Amino acid sequence: GKAFEKASMKWVLPAAPYGFAGTEAWLRDISLALDRKRTLTGPSADHKKEAAGLWRRARGYAAGFVLAAEEVSMLSGSAALKIVPVLPLLAEAGFRARLFVMGEGLSKDSARDMARLKAAIPACGLSVKFFRTMAELNGLLRSDNMLKLVYSDVRNDPRVAAAGKTPFSIGLLEPGYEGALESWRRLLELCEWDFNENYLSDK
């Protein structure tokens, strides 16, 4: 970057874009940085058509996130921490969202973060439930028939599988317009396959 600046050349290095909205914003920022009068290309008609079909399928499913109260603010992503905006990407795809928060309530700061999150992605019907033990969490996961996916960075997380749900992580997610469609296809395949509920759940 310093070498480009020394040569009086413009340069940009934005974080990788996820989802249609994220990719459009990414392209817009690049266009502005380069003083382009016209924003770079948006999603094609075919992209939009396929996205609409995937959105209709995803409305019947929910994805869950198990977290501590102070982690709520990170669900929208962070370029500084290189955190992928998983929740906005799911909401854009049409998935519902469930938060399972460890503890008995939210602090004032966490409650404020939660209110911002709900306002930013109203379409996902974000719900919040609290738990204190793994047994309570297992019961909450099992009781939600719409819930098919639970975020986890643990490969094939046995705790999620035991509840009959399928773990997923950012490894499934790809940037850009084509990447958004591929990400949504992969997530829907996991929901519709429903392997863990049928074969690995501790019934």
Side-chain angles (χ1 to χ4, degrees), residues 134 138 141 152 154 156-165:
M134 286 304 300
N138 188 280
L141 296 179
S152 176
V154 177
N156 299 322
D157 194 327
R159 298 163 298 179
V160 175
K165 309 304 176 181

Side-chain angles (χ1 to χ4, degrees), residues 91-131:
E92 188 179 40
F95 289 94
R96 308 288 182 169
R98 313 282 196 252
L99 301 190
F100 302 95
V101 181
M102 186 169 53
E104 298 182 352
L106 298 174
S107 67
K108 186 179 291 186
D109 288 342
S110 294
R112 192 180 307 117
D113 291 336
M114 184 68 72
R116 289 194 191 115
L117 197 58
K118 287 185 175 182
I121 47 174
C124 74
L126 188 63
S127 68
V128 184
K129 293 185 178 178
F130 298 93
F131 69 94

